[in-house]
């Protein structure tokens, strides 16, 4: 797997879909490709948010650690992004993420990511658009559940 | 130092000056002979003067003389009858003699130049050293107004022309004066009037020109001061660069320096105008004399008062007069110039700015200062005459833990500075064990009193060097003196008033640190650093440091053992993939192409960084393995990708430094190379372009950069090139520049951590570096190597002024340096400002606890834990009094005699004072 294939993966992420390929290449190049063993933690709930991950291959679970025990709240697959909210909002991890099997992911460092957003407004707008869409969906879902 | 430069030169170099002068005199006959000989060759041989009247041979080399008649009638005495030769023989003989004379003159000139040069350099060395020695004696007050870079330019640059002058100082005027005088006498002998005329012109030259030059010199003096200030200012700006940028003051600073440069230019310009004016006048006066000769001499000759022969002889002789005169005037100019420079320099080093010379003397025995500290009517003024402390009379016993407390005002700090001898011009008296502090020499105070201020002062060197800085009192000579070079060094030192101490000797006073030798001292240093909470830092320094096998030979085997244990542990935990070990037969995927080629660690620039790509040995290997073209092609692809990816980032963006193969400044160059390549193909690129492209892939690591450039075939060929490099390295010029990896040996050029790993941490496994760090720590502890690692860490380079350390580490080193010399009195003047509140309190409590047997004095704004102190001095405005613990001065002033008072006070001092007084201070502090 090379940089080019990673750029292809990044293009599948809704947040990055509209970003210029040259920027995505820069984003990919400045990220690290890391492998996780089965059961290895990406990060633990409550940790400081230092990076976001795009899963290139394999599956991972998002787990909420509650006093009563761990609850699996979501499952992640290829081309899913995780941890991006934490680095944008500068808050600790709201849940833990654990590799289900062997997982390969692209680790996007928080500092580098913010650096790129600051440098390229087009990237910031793409990220904002995705966040706005998410908010809209949440609002719609709230409206559905309350009606 | 002498006020007059000449007295200074004469005092230290009169003997050499006289020797040189004698040799010059001895050389003169040969010189004149060599001038005379061509005349003989022309007249006697070529024009056949010696072969007139049909003579066919002449006598050559006859040595004979006739003693004066009053010695009796000896007749002509022949020492050597000479050889009879024909015309050709005489020509050959005289020419050979001319050749011999040329050689003799050359030899004389050589000797004189070397002697003059050596004399000048020796005096320069002495002068520089004297100035430096005086700098060491600056009083603390003077130091506040002295700029470091100004002093540096004085000692380095300003004395330089003085050194060049010293060799000529006495010899030149004597020599030139004699020459000029001879010519003058000759002219006077021909004709008195013409002689007087020439004398008058010379007189004008000697009175007017120096006067004009005086103006020039005054300007020169201004220029010297201005350029010294410029150096000082630039030094200040560089030191304060942070403030310049933080406050956006670059434009202001640019303007300031620009103005100073204009002033310097203006001075220089005015100097030039004067200089060339003087030159013009000088030439005019020199050439106007022949005019007078022609007019006056011609008139006299026409009138018959002077014969033509005399006139020609006078004009001929006058030709010899101006050159020495001109040089004499130049010499005089130079003399004034260097005298002014010397005066300017001496101004900076006036006695009233200095400590008495005795304060630097080394006493035979160092008395212990384990006695009480007493102040009697202590008065301290600041630089503007404002009162800092007034009428302070108090004393505390020994040992004691003393707090100097004052929320506002400089009082506590001032008292601490008096104790640390940073203020010596106080009024009243301040004594330790009965010794007046202002009179105490460095040698005693430096050993028995330790003072730490808020700004730690570190010197470039290792952590160890900085920690033992306070133990280097005197060298202990090791090894024998027999070495010729060493004898020469000592001889030169004695000739120039420099110290003959050898830096390579062991200077450390182990006894003062309470240890037996180097090894024990290292252990002691580690203990101290642990006490100061720096153990982890030193451990980390150790892992990134190089092992000094001379110091720790045992590590050679232990590191290899640890390396194997680490490997076993990785296997045991199923984590082998975290580290890819170095294997001579395999390409290491986690290492760069460059590392894979070298398979070793470099000790010289020829195998690292930019030197690598221009290393002829490596290039030859790449050529013979036919890898060059392929790697250049790879470089081109990297350059292409990098220019594409980073094109839109502005230069200087932090991502450049972190990720790009190409520095921001070089990006344009590479774009140009790529353009040339796309036009003409890789093959047509210049050698320089190819070299630049070749440099790129050396840093390429596939799993990290993921450009997909490597395949197994290329990897195998790189491994083959590695072997070829190994073979060629043996016996080559670069053999010692690269230490090759060997699984069973310590690689002395690689950091300890790399040696333990003996491989590269996988880039593509999450959290690999932190997991490896934990594992290394486990292995190190299991084998009991932690202390050894920390000792390696003592070799960490701290950088200029310790800038490679954090402020906390710097503060720790400053404290550790004091602790290691086990002083009687330990003074902490805001020494812990670099630490956070909690850590500062924790460290202070620990220091107070471990130094119970001595006097430890701490300056504090507020008293947090009164129970930790035996004596609390409270400052209020310019006054101070002991509010907790017994004031010894009160006891002394009572009816007891001195010794009994001390005993009693010490007893009192040891016992904890009354709580209520302390409560009162605390209450006051809160309100």
């Amino acid at each position: 797997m090379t940089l080019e294939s990673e750029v292809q993966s990044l293009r599948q992420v809704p947040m990055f879909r509209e970003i210029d390929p040259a920027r995505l290449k820069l984003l990919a190049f400045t990220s690290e490709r890391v492998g996780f063993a089965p059961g290895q933690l990406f990060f633990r709930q409550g940790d400081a948010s230092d990076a976001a991950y795009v899963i290139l291959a394999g599956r991972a679970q998002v787990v909420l650690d509650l006093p009563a025990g761990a609850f699996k709240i979501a499952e992640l697959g290829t081309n899913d992004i995780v941890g991006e909210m934490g680095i944008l909002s500068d808050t600790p991890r709201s849940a833990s993420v654990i590799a289900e099997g062997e997982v390969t992911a692209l680790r996007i460092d928080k500092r580098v990511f913010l650096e790129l957003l600051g440098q390229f407004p087009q990237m910031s707008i793409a990220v904002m658009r995705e966040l706005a869409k998410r908010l809209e969906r949440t609002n719609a879902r709230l409206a559905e559940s309350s009606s | 130092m002498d006020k007059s430069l000449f007295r200074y030169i004469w005092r230290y170099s009169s003997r050499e000056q006289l020797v040189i002068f004698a040799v010059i005199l001895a050389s003169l006959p040969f010189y004149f002979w060599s001038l005379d000989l061509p005349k003989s060759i022309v007249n006697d041989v070529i024009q056949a003067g010696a072969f007139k009247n049909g003579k066919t041979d002449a006598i050559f080399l006859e040595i004979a003389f006739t003693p004066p008649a009053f010695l009796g009638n000896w007749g002509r005495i022949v020492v050597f009858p000479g050889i009879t030769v024909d015309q050709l023989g005489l020509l050959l003989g005289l020419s050979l003699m001319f050749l011999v004379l040329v050689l003799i003159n050359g030899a004389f000139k050589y000797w004189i130049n070397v002697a003059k040069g050596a004399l000048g350099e020796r005096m320069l060395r002495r002068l520089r050293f004297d100035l430096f020695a005086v700098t060491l004696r600056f009083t603390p007050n003077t130091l506040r107004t002295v700029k470091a870079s100004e002093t540096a330019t004085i000692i380095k640059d300003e004395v330089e022309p003085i050194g060049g002058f010293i060799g000529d100082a006495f010899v030149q005027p004597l020599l030139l004066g004699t020459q000029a005088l001879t010519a003058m006498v000759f002219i006077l002998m021909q004709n008195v009037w013409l002689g007087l005329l020439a004398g008058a012109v010379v007189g004008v030259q000697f009175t007017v020109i120096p006067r004009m030059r005086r103006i020039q010199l005054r300007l020169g003096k201004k220029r010297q001061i201005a350029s010294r200030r410029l150096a000082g200012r630039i030094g200040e700006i560089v030191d304060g660069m942070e403030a310049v940028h933080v406050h956006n003051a670059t434009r202001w600073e640019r303007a300031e320096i620009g103005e100073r440069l204009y002033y310097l230019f203006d001075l220089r310009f005015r100097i030039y105008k004067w200089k060339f004016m003087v030159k013009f006048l000088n030439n005019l006066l020199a050439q106007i004399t022949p005019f007078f000769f022609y007019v006056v001499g011609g008139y006299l000759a026409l009138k018959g008062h002077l014969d033509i022969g005399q006139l020609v002889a006078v004009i001929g002789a006058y030709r010899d007069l101006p050159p020495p005169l001109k040089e004499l005037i130049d010499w005089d100019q130079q003399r004034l110039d260097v005298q002014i420079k010397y005066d300017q320099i001496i101004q900076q080093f006036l006695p009233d700015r200095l400590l008495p010379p005795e304060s630097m003397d080394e006493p035979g025995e160092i008395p212990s200062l384990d006695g009480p500290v007493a102040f009697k009517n202590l008065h301290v003024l600041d630089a503007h005459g404002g009162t800092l402390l007034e009428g302070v009379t108090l004393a505390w016993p020994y040992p004691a833990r003393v707090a100097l407390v004052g929320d506002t005002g400089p009082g506590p700090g001032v008292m601490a500075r008096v104790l640390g001898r940073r203020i010596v011009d106080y009024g009243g008296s301040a004594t330790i064990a009965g010794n007046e502090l202002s009179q105490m020499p460095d040698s005693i105070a430096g050993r028995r009193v330790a003072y730490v201020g808020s700004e730690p002062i570190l010197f470039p060197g290792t952590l160890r060097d900085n920690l033992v800085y306070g133990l280097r009192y005197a060298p202990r000579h090791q090894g024998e003196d027999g070495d010729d070079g060493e004898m020469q060094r000592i001889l030169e030192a004695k000739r120039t008033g420099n110290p003959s101490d050898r830096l390579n000797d062991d200077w450390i006073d182990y006894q003062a640190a309470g240890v037996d030798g180097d090894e024990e001292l290292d252990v002691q240093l580690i203990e101290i650093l642990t006490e100061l909470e720096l153990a982890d830092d030193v451990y980390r320094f150790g892992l990134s440091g190089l092992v000094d096998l001379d110091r720790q030979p045992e590590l050679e085997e232990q590191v290899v053992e640890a390396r194997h244990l680490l490997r076993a542990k990785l296997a045991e935990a199923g984590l082998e993939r975290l580290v890819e070990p170095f294997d001579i037969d395999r390409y290491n995927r986690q290492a760069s192409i460059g590392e894979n080629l070298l398979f070793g660690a470099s000790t010289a620039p020829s195998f690292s960084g930019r030197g690598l790509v221009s290393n002829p040995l490596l290039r030859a290997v790449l050529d013979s393995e036919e890898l060059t073209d392929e790697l250049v092609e790879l470089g081109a692809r990297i350059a292409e990708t990098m220019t594409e990816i980073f094109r839109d980032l502005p230069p200087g963006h932090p991502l450049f430094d972190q990720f790009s193969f190409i520095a921001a400044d070089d990006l344009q160059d590479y774009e140009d190379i790529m353009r040339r390549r796309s036009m003409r193909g890789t093959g047509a690129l210049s050698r320089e372009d190819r070299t630049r492209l070749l440099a790129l892939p050396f840093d390429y690591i596939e799993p990290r950069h993921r450009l997909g450039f490597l395949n197994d075939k290329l990897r195998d060929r790189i491994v083959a090139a590695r072997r070829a490099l190994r073979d060629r390295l043996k016996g080559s010029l670069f053999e010692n520049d690269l230490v090759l990896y060997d699984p069973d040996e310590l690689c002395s050029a690689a950091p300890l951590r790399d040696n333990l790993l003996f491989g590269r941490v996988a880039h593509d496994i999450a959290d690999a570096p932190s997991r490896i760090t934990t594992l290394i720590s486990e292995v190190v502890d299991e084998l009991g190597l932690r202390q050894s690692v920390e000792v390696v860490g003592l070799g960490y380079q701290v950088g200029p002024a310790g800038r490679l350390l954090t402020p906390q580490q710097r503060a720790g080193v400053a404290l550790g340096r004091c602790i290691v010399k086990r002083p009687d009195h330990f003074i902490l003047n805001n020494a812990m400002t670099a630490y956070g509140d909690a850590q500062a309190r924790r460290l202070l409590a620990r220091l107070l606890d471990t130094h119970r047997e001595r006097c430890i004095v701490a300056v504090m704004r507020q008293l947090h834990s009164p129970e930790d102190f035996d004596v609390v001095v409270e400052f209020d405005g310019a006054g101070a009094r002991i509010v907790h613990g017994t004031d010894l001065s009160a006891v002394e002033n009572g009816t007891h005699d001195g010794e009994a008072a001390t005993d009693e006070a010490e007893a009192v001092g040891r016992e904890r004072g009354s709580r209520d007084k302390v409560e009162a201070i605390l209450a006051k502090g809160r309100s």
Side-chain angles (χ1 to χ4, degrees), chain B residues 492-772:
Chain B
E492 281 296 331
K494 286 201 176 128
R495 271 183 173 178
T496 51
N498 275 241
S500 57
D501 292 342
R502 217 166 42 161
L503 271 180
N504 287 343
D505 284 341
D506 194 356
W507 281 71
I508 295 170
D509 186 346
Y510 296 107
Q511 217 187 338
V515 293
D516 270 343
D518 229 14
E519 270 176 52
E520 266 190 49
L521 181 65
D522 278 350
V523 174
Q524 177 99 321
L525 292 178
I526 297 291
E527 275 170 18
I528 290 170
L529 290 176
T530 309
E531 190 185 341
L532 294 166
E533 304 183 358
L534 285 175
D536 286 346
D537 302 48
V538 189
Y539 172 74
R540 269 188 294 110
F541 294 158
L543 283 183
S544 63
L546 301 182
V547 175
D548 178 359
L549 281 179
D550 290 337
R551 192 177 272 280
Q552 295 170 279
E554 71 282 1
L555 276 184
E556 181 147 32
E557 279 179 19
Q558 288 172 344
V559 167
V560 176
E561 190 191 346
R563 179 187 292 171
H564 294 320
L565 182 63
L566 183 69
R567 177 88 38 235
K569 273 190 173 276
L570 281 168
E572 197 183 310
L575 293 173
E576 287 125 312
R577 284 182 54 239
L578 287 185
V579 180
E580 181 165 346
F582 293 131
D583 182 341
I584 182 76
D585 296 321
R586 276 184 44 217
Y587 187 90
N588 189 318
R589 283 165 195 260
Q590 307 293 348
S592 69
I593 291 182
E595 287 171 316
N596 268 295
L597 276 171
L598 298 185
F599 200 72
S602 69
T603 57
S606 58
F607 277 113
S608 56
R610 291 199 168 204
L612 190 57
V613 71
S614 46
N615 183 317
L617 191 72
L618 182 66
R619 289 295 289 266
V621 169
L622 292 181
D623 284 343
S624 67
E625 298 288 314
E626 290 168 359
L627 269 170
T628 312
D629 287 337
E630 209 155 331
L631 289 179
V632 168
E633 197 59 42
L634 209 61
R637 283 162 72 189
I638 291 174
E640 205 166 28
T641 316
M642 290 304 118
T643 46
E644 182 199 336
I645 292 182
F646 287 95
R647 185 179 298 136
D648 298 325
L649 279 181
H653 197 277
L655 291 183
F656 254 117
D657 296 340
Q658 201 181 344
F659 293 103
S660 179
F661 279 80
I662 302 172
D665 296 338
D666 295 341
L667 198 65
Q668 185 59 48
D669 292 354
Y670 276 99
E671 275 178 13
D672 293 344
I673 294 175
M674 296 315 289
R675 203 168 305 125
R676 284 197 284 275
R677 176 173 170 266
S678 65
M679 271 156 51
R680 279 171 281 170
T682 318
L685 287 176
S686 71
R687 190 176 159 76
E688 198 188 326
D689 284 351
R690 286 167 63 82
T691 301
R692 296 199 71 172
L693 288 178
L694 184 62
L696 296 178
F698 283 147
D699 290 331
Y700 181 75
I701 303 170
E702 178 92 18
R704 182 168 159 215
H705 299 112
R706 319 183 300 277
L707 299 178
F709 288 162
L710 293 188
N711 53 43
D712 283 341
K713 199 166 151 242
L714 183 59
R715 289 191 188 103
D716 288 347
R717 289 176 57 205
I718 290 172
V719 172
R722 169 197 295 175
R723 287 197 207 96
L725 181 69
R726 275 205 163 196
D727 293 341
R728 288 217 194 186
L729 205 57
K730 274 187 203 111
S732 82
L733 208 61
F734 300 103
E735 194 176 5
N736 297 324
D737 293 355
L738 189 67
V739 184
L740 300 169
Y741 293 140
D742 184 328
D744 296 313
E745 257 174 51
L746 180 96
C747 176
S748 57
L752 185 51
R753 188 186 150 87
D754 286 8
N755 262 302
L756 291 172
L757 277 180
F758 199 69
R760 287 277 176 262
V761 177
H763 291 274
D764 50 3
I765 295 177
D767 294 335
S770 62
R771 282 149 85 186
I772 288 295

Side-chain angles (χ1 to χ4, degrees), chain A residues 1-4 6 22-23 25-26 28-36 40-42 102 106 111-112 115-116 119-120, chain B residues 577 641-642 644-646 648-650 653-655 658-661 702-708 763-767 771:
Chain A
M1 215 171 350
T2 65
L3 201 61
E4 290 302 331
E6 288 162 16
R23 305 269 181 282
K25 208 164 181 180
L26 178 60
F29 188 70
T30 51
S31 304
E32 289 171 77
R33 187 170 58 206
V34 288
F36 291 91
Q40 193 180 346
L41 275 168
F42 279 52
E102 294 275 350
L106 202 57
R111 204 179 52 77
V112 175
E115 203 78 73
L116 288 175
Q119 191 60 44
F120 302 112
Chain B
R577 284 182 54 239
T641 316
M642 290 304 118
E644 182 199 336
I645 292 182
F646 287 95
D648 298 325
L649 279 181
H653 197 277
L655 291 183
Q658 201 181 344
F659 293 103
S660 179
F661 279 80
E702 178 92 18
R704 182 168 159 215
H705 299 112
R706 319 183 300 277
L707 299 178
H763 291 274
D764 50 3
I765 295 177
D767 294 335
R771 282 149 85 186

Side-chain angles (χ1 to χ4, degrees), chain B residues 856-877:
Chain B
I856 178 162
V857 181
V859 169
M860 23 190 43
R861 298 179 78 83
Q862 265 164 357
L863 198 57
H864 294 292
S865 48
E867 64 278 5
D868 284 346
F869 293 96
D870 306 321
V871 176
V872 176
V873 183
E874 196 197 20
F875 289 78
D876 189 10

Side-chain angles (χ1 to χ4, degrees), chain B residues 21 173-183:
Chain B
F21 188 62
L174 277 173
L175 201 66
L176 294 169
T178 335
Q179 279 179 19
L181 209 65
T182 318

